[in-house]
mmCIF file of all heavy atoms in Angstrom:
data_model
loop_
_atom_site.group_PDB
_atom_site.id
_atom_site.type_symbol
_atom_site.label_atom_id
_atom_site.label_comp_id
_atom_site.label_asym_id
_atom_site.label_seq_id
_atom_site.Cartn_x
_atom_site.Cartn_y
_atom_site.Cartn_z
ATOM 1 N N VAL R 1 143.558 54.909 23.704
ATOM 2 C CA VAL R 1 144.086 56.176 24.241
ATOM 3 C C VAL R 1 145.128 56.756 23.302
ATOM 4 O O VAL R 1 145.122 57.965 23.005
ATOM 5 C CB VAL R 1 144.687 55.959 25.641
ATOM 6 C CG1 VAL R 1 145.434 57.203 26.093
ATOM 7 C CG2 VAL R 1 143.586 55.606 26.633
ATOM 8 N N ARG R 2 146.023 55.919 22.802
ATOM 9 C CA ARG R 2 147.078 56.404 21.912
ATOM 10 C C ARG R 2 146.475 57.010 20.641
ATOM 11 O O ARG R 2 146.889 58.096 20.204
ATOM 12 C CB ARG R 2 148.041 55.274 21.550
ATOM 13 C CG ARG R 2 149.134 55.722 20.575
ATOM 14 C CD ARG R 2 150.179 54.649 20.326
ATOM 15 N NE ARG R 2 151.150 55.073 19.336
ATOM 16 C CZ ARG R 2 152.171 55.881 19.575
ATOM 17 N NH1 ARG R 2 152.350 56.363 20.795
ATOM 18 N NH2 ARG R 2 153.004 56.221 18.620
ATOM 19 N N LEU R 3 145.506 56.326 20.041
ATOM 20 C CA LEU R 3 144.896 56.838 18.824
ATOM 21 C C LEU R 3 144.090 58.106 19.094
ATOM 22 O O LEU R 3 144.003 59.003 18.243
ATOM 23 C CB LEU R 3 144.004 55.760 18.200
ATOM 24 C CG LEU R 3 144.754 54.536 17.649
ATOM 25 C CD1 LEU R 3 143.776 53.481 17.148
ATOM 26 C CD2 LEU R 3 145.723 54.941 16.545
ATOM 27 N N THR R 4 143.512 58.210 20.285
ATOM 28 C CA THR R 4 142.818 59.443 20.668
ATOM 29 C C THR R 4 143.801 60.601 20.765
ATOM 30 O O THR R 4 143.523 61.717 20.290
ATOM 31 C CB THR R 4 142.097 59.250 22.014
ATOM 32 O OG1 THR R 4 141.113 58.222 21.877
ATOM 33 C CG2 THR R 4 141.422 60.541 22.460
ATOM 34 N N LEU R 5 144.969 60.356 21.355
ATOM 35 C CA LEU R 5 145.985 61.398 21.477
ATOM 36 C C LEU R 5 146.523 61.812 20.108
ATOM 37 O O LEU R 5 146.746 63.005 19.850
ATOM 38 C CB LEU R 5 147.135 60.919 22.369
ATOM 39 C CG LEU R 5 146.796 60.743 23.848
ATOM 40 C CD1 LEU R 5 147.966 60.101 24.586
ATOM 41 C CD2 LEU R 5 146.431 62.071 24.477
ATOM 42 N N VAL R 6 146.734 60.846 19.224
ATOM 43 C CA VAL R 6 147.181 61.156 17.859
ATOM 44 C C VAL R 6 146.137 62.020 17.144
ATOM 45 O O VAL R 6 146.473 63.014 16.473
ATOM 46 C CB VAL R 6 147.448 59.862 17.070
ATOM 47 C CG1 VAL R 6 147.677 60.172 15.587
ATOM 48 C CG2 VAL R 6 148.657 59.128 17.629
ATOM 49 N N SER R 7 144.867 61.662 17.292
ATOM 50 C CA SER R 7 143.784 62.434 16.671
ATOM 51 C C SER R 7 143.730 63.852 17.228
ATOM 52 O O SER R 7 143.522 64.823 16.484
ATOM 53 C CB SER R 7 142.441 61.730 16.908
ATOM 54 O OG SER R 7 142.461 60.412 16.411
ATOM 55 N N THR R 8 143.940 63.977 18.543
ATOM 56 C CA THR R 8 143.914 65.290 19.191
ATOM 57 C C THR R 8 145.084 66.152 18.735
ATOM 58 O O THR R 8 144.917 67.334 18.414
ATOM 59 C CB THR R 8 143.944 65.123 20.721
ATOM 60 O OG1 THR R 8 142.812 64.353 21.136
ATOM 61 C CG2 THR R 8 143.921 66.473 21.419
ATOM 62 N N ALA R 9 146.275 65.552 18.685
ATOM 63 C CA ALA R 9 147.462 66.309 18.283
ATOM 64 C C ALA R 9 147.345 66.815 16.856
ATOM 65 O O ALA R 9 147.889 67.879 16.513
ATOM 66 C CB ALA R 9 148.698 65.437 18.431
ATOM 67 N N ASN R 10 146.621 66.083 16.012
ATOM 68 C CA ASN R 10 146.491 66.455 14.601
ATOM 69 C C ASN R 10 145.175 67.162 14.288
ATOM 70 O O ASN R 10 144.846 67.370 13.117
ATOM 71 C CB ASN R 10 146.634 65.211 13.726
ATOM 72 C CG ASN R 10 148.062 64.690 13.684
ATOM 73 O OD1 ASN R 10 148.894 65.198 12.933
ATOM 74 N ND2 ASN R 10 148.363 63.686 14.496
ATOM 75 N N ASP R 11 144.429 67.539 15.325
ATOM 76 C CA ASP R 11 143.192 68.312 15.169
ATOM 77 C C ASP R 11 142.198 67.667 14.202
ATOM 78 O O ASP R 11 141.565 68.355 13.388
ATOM 79 C CB ASP R 11 143.507 69.741 14.712
ATOM 80 C CG ASP R 11 144.140 70.579 15.803
ATOM 81 O OD1 ASP R 11 143.806 70.358 16.977
ATOM 82 O OD2 ASP R 11 144.988 71.439 15.485
ATOM 83 N N LEU R 12 142.055 66.351 14.279
ATOM 84 C CA LEU R 12 141.050 65.685 13.455
ATOM 85 C C LEU R 12 139.659 66.044 13.957
ATOM 86 O O LEU R 12 139.395 65.991 15.147
ATOM 87 C CB LEU R 12 141.235 64.172 13.500
ATOM 88 C CG LEU R 12 142.558 63.609 12.983
ATOM 89 C CD1 LEU R 12 142.509 62.084 12.986
ATOM 90 C CD2 LEU R 12 142.876 64.129 11.590
ATOM 91 N N LYS R 13 138.791 66.427 13.059
ATOM 92 C CA LYS R 13 137.436 66.789 13.470
ATOM 93 C C LYS R 13 136.676 65.576 13.995
ATOM 94 O O LYS R 13 135.871 65.681 14.914
ATOM 95 C CB LYS R 13 136.691 67.445 12.304
ATOM 96 C CG LYS R 13 137.224 68.814 11.914
ATOM 97 C CD LYS R 13 136.429 69.401 10.757
ATOM 98 C CE LYS R 13 136.871 70.827 10.461
ATOM 99 N NZ LYS R 13 138.276 70.888 10.023
ATOM 100 N N GLU R 14 136.930 64.395 13.384
ATOM 101 C CA GLU R 14 136.251 63.188 13.819
ATOM 102 C C GLU R 14 137.153 61.990 13.551
ATOM 103 O O GLU R 14 137.771 61.895 12.494
ATOM 104 C CB GLU R 14 134.922 63.015 13.089
ATOM 105 C CG GLU R 14 134.112 61.794 13.534
ATOM 106 C CD GLU R 14 132.700 61.806 12.982
ATOM 107 O OE1 GLU R 14 131.954 62.777 13.265
ATOM 108 O OE2 GLU R 14 132.337 60.873 12.243
ATOM 109 N N ALA R 15 137.227 61.090 14.515
ATOM 110 C CA ALA R 15 138.054 59.887 14.364
ATOM 111 C C ALA R 15 137.258 58.670 14.783
ATOM 112 O O ALA R 15 136.700 58.645 15.881
ATOM 113 C CB ALA R 15 139.327 60.008 15.199
ATOM 114 N N TRP R 16 137.214 57.673 13.905
ATOM 115 C CA TRP R 16 136.602 56.384 14.245
ATOM 116 C C TRP R 16 137.718 55.472 14.709
ATOM 117 O O TRP R 16 138.637 55.150 13.948
ATOM 118 C CB TRP R 16 135.909 55.770 13.029
ATOM 119 C CG TRP R 16 134.836 56.624 12.419
ATOM 120 C CD1 TRP R 16 134.291 57.765 12.925
ATOM 121 C CD2 TRP R 16 134.194 56.397 11.159
ATOM 122 N NE1 TRP R 16 133.343 58.273 12.082
ATOM 123 C CE2 TRP R 16 133.258 57.453 10.974
ATOM 124 C CE3 TRP R 16 134.303 55.423 10.185
ATOM 125 C CZ2 TRP R 16 132.449 57.544 9.847
ATOM 126 C CZ3 TRP R 16 133.498 55.506 9.053
ATOM 127 C CH2 TRP R 16 132.585 56.550 8.897
ATOM 128 N N ILE R 17 137.665 55.046 15.942
ATOM 129 C CA ILE R 17 138.727 54.218 16.520
ATOM 130 C C ILE R 17 138.148 52.856 16.850
ATOM 131 O O ILE R 17 137.455 52.678 17.854
ATOM 132 C CB ILE R 17 139.314 54.892 17.779
ATOM 133 C CG1 ILE R 17 139.932 56.241 17.405
ATOM 134 C CG2 ILE R 17 140.348 53.994 18.440
ATOM 135 C CD1 ILE R 17 140.464 57.037 18.577
ATOM 136 N N SER R 18 138.412 51.901 15.986
ATOM 137 C CA SER R 18 137.811 50.590 16.166
ATOM 138 C C SER R 18 138.557 49.559 15.341
ATOM 139 O O SER R 18 139.188 49.872 14.337
ATOM 140 C CB SER R 18 136.341 50.623 15.735
ATOM 141 O OG SER R 18 135.720 49.378 15.939
ATOM 142 N N ASP R 19 138.485 48.320 15.782
ATOM 143 C CA ASP R 19 138.981 47.201 14.993
ATOM 144 C C ASP R 19 137.874 46.705 14.067
ATOM 145 O O ASP R 19 136.695 47.011 14.256
ATOM 146 C CB ASP R 19 139.420 46.053 15.913
ATOM 147 C CG ASP R 19 140.634 46.416 16.769
ATOM 148 O OD1 ASP R 19 141.514 47.128 16.261
ATOM 149 O OD2 ASP R 19 140.691 45.981 17.939
ATOM 150 N N HIS R 20 138.263 45.930 13.067
ATOM 151 C CA HIS R 20 137.276 45.243 12.242
ATOM 152 C C HIS R 20 136.717 44.046 13.030
ATOM 153 O O HIS R 20 137.407 43.486 13.873
ATOM 154 C CB HIS R 20 137.923 44.767 10.945
ATOM 155 C CG HIS R 20 138.248 45.873 9.991
ATOM 156 N ND1 HIS R 20 137.312 46.748 9.495
ATOM 157 C CD2 HIS R 20 139.433 46.257 9.433
ATOM 158 C CE1 HIS R 20 137.889 47.618 8.687
ATOM 159 N NE2 HIS R 20 139.183 47.338 8.633
ATOM 160 N N PRO R 21 135.451 43.673 12.824
ATOM 161 C CA PRO R 21 134.576 44.138 11.744
ATOM 162 C C PRO R 21 133.782 45.394 12.082
ATOM 163 O O PRO R 21 133.033 45.891 11.247
ATOM 164 C CB PRO R 21 133.630 42.957 11.560
ATOM 165 C CG PRO R 21 133.475 42.418 12.960
ATOM 166 C CD PRO R 21 134.842 42.551 13.589
ATOM 167 N N TYR R 22 133.944 45.921 13.301
ATOM 168 C CA TYR R 22 133.135 47.072 13.714
ATOM 169 C C TYR R 22 133.426 48.305 12.857
ATOM 170 O O TYR R 22 132.517 49.060 12.513
ATOM 171 C CB TYR R 22 133.388 47.382 15.194
ATOM 172 C CG TYR R 22 133.248 46.182 16.085
ATOM 173 C CD1 TYR R 22 134.357 45.500 16.563
ATOM 174 C CD2 TYR R 22 131.988 45.697 16.429
ATOM 175 C CE1 TYR R 22 134.231 44.377 17.369
ATOM 176 C CE2 TYR R 22 131.845 44.577 17.234
ATOM 177 C CZ TYR R 22 132.977 43.920 17.701
ATOM 178 O OH TYR R 22 132.841 42.809 18.482
ATOM 179 N N LEU R 23 134.694 48.500 12.501
ATOM 180 C CA LEU R 23 135.047 49.648 11.674
ATOM 181 C C LEU R 23 134.418 49.537 10.290
ATOM 182 O O LEU R 23 133.937 50.532 9.733
ATOM 183 C CB LEU R 23 136.568 49.760 11.562
ATOM 184 C CG LEU R 23 137.101 51.002 10.839
ATOM 185 C CD1 LEU R 23 136.643 52.272 11.535
ATOM 186 C CD2 LEU R 23 138.625 50.962 10.763
ATOM 187 N N ALA R 24 134.396 48.327 9.736
ATOM 188 C CA ALA R 24 133.771 48.123 8.424
ATOM 189 C C ALA R 24 132.283 48.466 8.467
ATOM 190 O O ALA R 24 131.733 49.033 7.514
ATOM 191 C CB ALA R 24 133.974 46.680 7.970
ATOM 192 N N VAL R 25 131.635 48.148 9.594
ATOM 193 C CA VAL R 25 130.212 48.458 9.734
ATOM 194 C C VAL R 25 129.996 49.974 9.743
ATOM 195 O O VAL R 25 129.010 50.484 9.192
ATOM 196 C CB VAL R 25 129.637 47.814 11.007
ATOM 197 C CG1 VAL R 25 128.190 48.243 11.226
ATOM 198 C CG2 VAL R 25 129.720 46.295 10.916
ATOM 199 N N CYS R 26 130.932 50.715 10.340
ATOM 200 C CA CYS R 26 130.844 52.186 10.325
ATOM 201 C C CYS R 26 130.817 52.705 8.894
ATOM 202 O O CYS R 26 130.035 53.606 8.558
ATOM 203 C CB CYS R 26 132.018 52.802 11.068
ATOM 204 S SG CYS R 26 132.047 52.507 12.836
ATOM 205 N N TYR R 27 131.691 52.159 8.055
ATOM 206 C CA TYR R 27 131.737 52.592 6.657
ATOM 207 C C TYR R 27 130.453 52.220 5.927
ATOM 208 O O TYR R 27 129.977 52.968 5.066
ATOM 209 C CB TYR R 27 132.960 51.997 5.966
ATOM 210 C CG TYR R 27 134.233 52.739 6.283
ATOM 211 C CD1 TYR R 27 135.060 52.338 7.326
ATOM 212 C CD2 TYR R 27 134.598 53.874 5.552
ATOM 213 C CE1 TYR R 27 136.217 53.034 7.639
ATOM 214 C CE2 TYR R 27 135.757 54.572 5.852
ATOM 215 C CZ TYR R 27 136.562 54.147 6.897
ATOM 216 O OH TYR R 27 137.706 54.844 7.203
ATOM 217 N N LEU R 28 129.886 51.059 6.262
ATOM 218 C CA LEU R 28 128.608 50.691 5.663
ATOM 219 C C LEU R 28 127.520 51.690 6.026
ATOM 220 O O LEU R 28 126.737 52.115 5.178
ATOM 221 C CB LEU R 28 128.198 49.289 6.122
ATOM 222 C CG LEU R 28 128.760 48.089 5.363
ATOM 223 C CD1 LEU R 28 128.241 46.799 5.966
ATOM 224 C CD2 LEU R 28 128.403 48.155 3.878
ATOM 225 N N TRP R 29 127.447 52.064 7.305
ATOM 226 C CA TRP R 29 126.438 53.036 7.736
ATOM 227 C C TRP R 29 126.624 54.374 7.031
ATOM 228 O O TRP R 29 125.653 55.074 6.742
ATOM 229 C CB TRP R 29 126.509 53.238 9.250
ATOM 230 C CG TRP R 29 125.718 52.233 10.018
ATOM 231 C CD1 TRP R 29 126.138 51.017 10.472
ATOM 232 C CD2 TRP R 29 124.344 52.344 10.407
ATOM 233 N NE1 TRP R 29 125.123 50.370 11.124
ATOM 234 C CE2 TRP R 29 124.010 51.154 11.108
ATOM 235 C CE3 TRP R 29 123.373 53.322 10.248
ATOM 236 C CZ2 TRP R 29 122.742 50.928 11.633
ATOM 237 C CZ3 TRP R 29 122.105 53.094 10.778
ATOM 238 C CH2 TRP R 29 121.792 51.908 11.462
ATOM 239 N N GLN R 30 127.870 54.732 6.736
ATOM 240 C CA GLN R 30 128.155 56.015 6.110
ATOM 241 C C GLN R 30 127.847 56.000 4.617
ATOM 242 O O GLN R 30 127.281 56.954 4.082
ATOM 243 C CB GLN R 30 129.634 56.373 6.319
ATOM 244 C CG GLN R 30 130.021 57.779 5.876
ATOM 245 C CD GLN R 30 129.607 58.835 6.881
ATOM 246 O OE1 GLN R 30 129.218 58.521 7.996
ATOM 247 N NE2 GLN R 30 129.676 60.088 6.492
ATOM 248 N N TYR R 31 128.235 54.920 3.939
ATOM 249 C CA TYR R 31 128.199 54.911 2.476
ATOM 250 C C TYR R 31 127.181 53.953 1.871
ATOM 251 O O TYR R 31 126.829 54.102 0.690
ATOM 252 C CB TYR R 31 129.592 54.566 1.924
ATOM 253 C CG TYR R 31 130.647 55.563 2.328
ATOM 254 C CD1 TYR R 31 131.649 55.217 3.235
ATOM 255 C CD2 TYR R 31 130.639 56.865 1.826
ATOM 256 C CE1 TYR R 31 132.620 56.135 3.620
ATOM 257 C CE2 TYR R 31 131.600 57.788 2.203
ATOM 258 C CZ TYR R 31 132.589 57.421 3.101
ATOM 259 O OH TYR R 31 133.531 58.337 3.490
ATOM 260 N N ALA R 32 126.714 52.973 2.630
ATOM 261 C CA ALA R 32 125.734 52.014 2.114
ATOM 262 C C ALA R 32 124.725 51.686 3.207
ATOM 263 O O ALA R 32 124.668 50.556 3.703
ATOM 264 C CB ALA R 32 126.428 50.748 1.614
ATOM 265 N N PRO R 33 123.929 52.673 3.624
ATOM 266 C CA PRO R 33 123.060 52.475 4.785
ATOM 267 C C PRO R 33 122.035 51.354 4.615
ATOM 268 O O PRO R 33 121.672 50.707 5.601
ATOM 269 C CB PRO R 33 122.375 53.842 4.950
ATOM 270 C CG PRO R 33 122.542 54.530 3.628
ATOM 271 C CD PRO R 33 123.828 54.040 3.073
ATOM 272 N N THR R 34 121.559 51.122 3.402
ATOM 273 C CA THR R 34 120.593 50.044 3.205
ATOM 274 C C THR R 34 121.209 48.689 3.573
ATOM 275 O O THR R 34 120.578 47.864 4.238
ATOM 276 C CB THR R 34 120.097 50.008 1.755
ATOM 277 O OG1 THR R 34 119.478 51.261 1.445
ATOM 278 C CG2 THR R 34 119.080 48.885 1.554
ATOM 279 N N TRP R 35 122.449 48.462 3.145
ATOM 280 C CA TRP R 35 123.161 47.244 3.520
ATOM 281 C C TRP R 35 123.408 47.210 5.029
ATOM 282 O O TRP R 35 123.326 46.152 5.662
ATOM 283 C CB TRP R 35 124.497 47.147 2.782
ATOM 284 C CG TRP R 35 124.362 46.695 1.367
ATOM 285 C CD1 TRP R 35 124.419 47.459 0.232
ATOM 286 C CD2 TRP R 35 124.117 45.362 0.922
ATOM 287 N NE1 TRP R 35 124.236 46.693 -0.884
ATOM 288 C CE2 TRP R 35 124.048 45.393 -0.497
ATOM 289 C CE3 TRP R 35 123.954 44.143 1.575
ATOM 290 C CZ2 TRP R 35 123.827 44.260 -1.262
ATOM 291 C CZ3 TRP R 35 123.728 42.996 0.813
ATOM 292 C CH2 TRP R 35 123.667 43.056 -0.577
ATOM 293 N N ALA R 36 123.702 48.365 5.609
ATOM 294 C CA ALA R 36 123.962 48.426 7.052
ATOM 295 C C ALA R 36 122.720 48.054 7.842
ATOM 296 O O ALA R 36 122.804 47.323 8.842
ATOM 297 C CB ALA R 36 124.435 49.828 7.435
ATOM 298 N N TRP R 37 121.559 48.546 7.408
ATOM 299 C CA TRP R 37 120.317 48.196 8.106
ATOM 300 C C TRP R 37 120.055 46.698 8.013
ATOM 301 O O TRP R 37 119.622 46.069 8.981
ATOM 302 C CB TRP R 37 119.138 48.973 7.512
ATOM 303 C CG TRP R 37 119.226 50.444 7.761
ATOM 304 C CD1 TRP R 37 119.758 51.072 8.859
ATOM 305 C CD2 TRP R 37 118.778 51.474 6.885
ATOM 306 N NE1 TRP R 37 119.667 52.429 8.720
ATOM 307 C CE2 TRP R 37 119.069 52.724 7.512
ATOM 308 C CE3 TRP R 37 118.173 51.512 5.633
ATOM 309 C CZ2 TRP R 37 118.765 53.950 6.945
ATOM 310 C CZ3 TRP R 37 117.865 52.729 5.066
ATOM 311 C CH2 TRP R 37 118.156 53.930 5.711
ATOM 312 N N TRP R 38 120.269 46.123 6.830
ATOM 313 C CA TRP R 38 120.064 44.684 6.646
ATOM 314 C C TRP R 38 120.988 43.891 7.564
ATOM 315 O O TRP R 38 120.552 42.955 8.238
ATOM 316 C CB TRP R 38 120.334 44.318 5.184
ATOM 317 C CG TRP R 38 120.264 42.838 4.910
ATOM 318 C CD1 TRP R 38 119.143 42.092 4.669
ATOM 319 C CD2 TRP R 38 121.370 41.924 4.865
ATOM 320 N NE1 TRP R 38 119.485 40.764 4.477
ATOM 321 C CE2 TRP R 38 120.841 40.628 4.594
ATOM 322 C CE3 TRP R 38 122.749 42.066 5.024
ATOM 323 C CZ2 TRP R 38 121.649 39.503 4.477
ATOM 324 C CZ3 TRP R 38 123.560 40.938 4.915
ATOM 325 C CH2 TRP R 38 123.007 39.680 4.645
ATOM 326 N N LEU R 39 122.268 44.293 7.602
ATOM 327 C CA LEU R 39 123.239 43.585 8.428
ATOM 328 C C LEU R 39 122.921 43.738 9.908
ATOM 329 O O LEU R 39 122.983 42.762 10.676
ATOM 330 C CB LEU R 39 124.645 44.098 8.132
ATOM 331 C CG LEU R 39 125.792 43.470 8.936
ATOM 332 C CD1 LEU R 39 125.883 41.982 8.639
ATOM 333 C CD2 LEU R 39 127.117 44.167 8.617
ATOM 334 N N MET R 40 122.569 44.954 10.330
ATOM 335 C CA MET R 40 122.288 45.194 11.739
ATOM 336 C C MET R 40 121.041 44.446 12.193
ATOM 337 O O MET R 40 120.961 43.992 13.339
ATOM 338 C CB MET R 40 122.144 46.689 12.005
ATOM 339 C CG MET R 40 122.121 47.046 13.482
ATOM 340 S SD MET R 40 123.605 46.505 14.390
ATOM 341 C CE MET R 40 124.835 47.635 13.727
ATOM 342 N N ASN R 41 120.067 44.298 11.299
ATOM 343 C CA ASN R 41 118.880 43.519 11.645
ATOM 344 C C ASN R 41 119.237 42.068 11.923
ATOM 345 O O ASN R 41 118.719 41.443 12.862
ATOM 346 C CB ASN R 41 117.849 43.589 10.516
ATOM 347 C CG ASN R 41 117.118 44.920 10.482
ATOM 348 O OD1 ASN R 41 117.118 45.656 11.467
ATOM 349 N ND2 ASN R 41 116.494 45.224 9.353
ATOM 350 N N ARG R 42 120.132 41.510 11.114
ATOM 351 C CA ARG R 42 120.548 40.124 11.313
ATOM 352 C C ARG R 42 121.390 39.979 12.591
ATOM 353 O O ARG R 42 121.174 39.073 13.396
ATOM 354 C CB ARG R 42 121.347 39.634 10.099
ATOM 355 C CG ARG R 42 120.507 39.465 8.844
ATOM 356 C CD ARG R 42 121.358 39.023 7.665
ATOM 357 N NE ARG R 42 121.924 37.708 7.882
ATOM 358 C CZ ARG R 42 121.333 36.573 7.570
ATOM 359 N NH1 ARG R 42 120.122 36.577 7.029
ATOM 360 N NH2 ARG R 42 121.920 35.404 7.787
#
């Protein structure tokens, strides 16, 4: 909730709010999708 409010107050178009390792997986899907598909399959 706090991070959502911070994102709202600063007009962020998009905010990923997560702890690792889930946040790291988001970056994989964004920048290295082939690795993300391999990891998600496992």
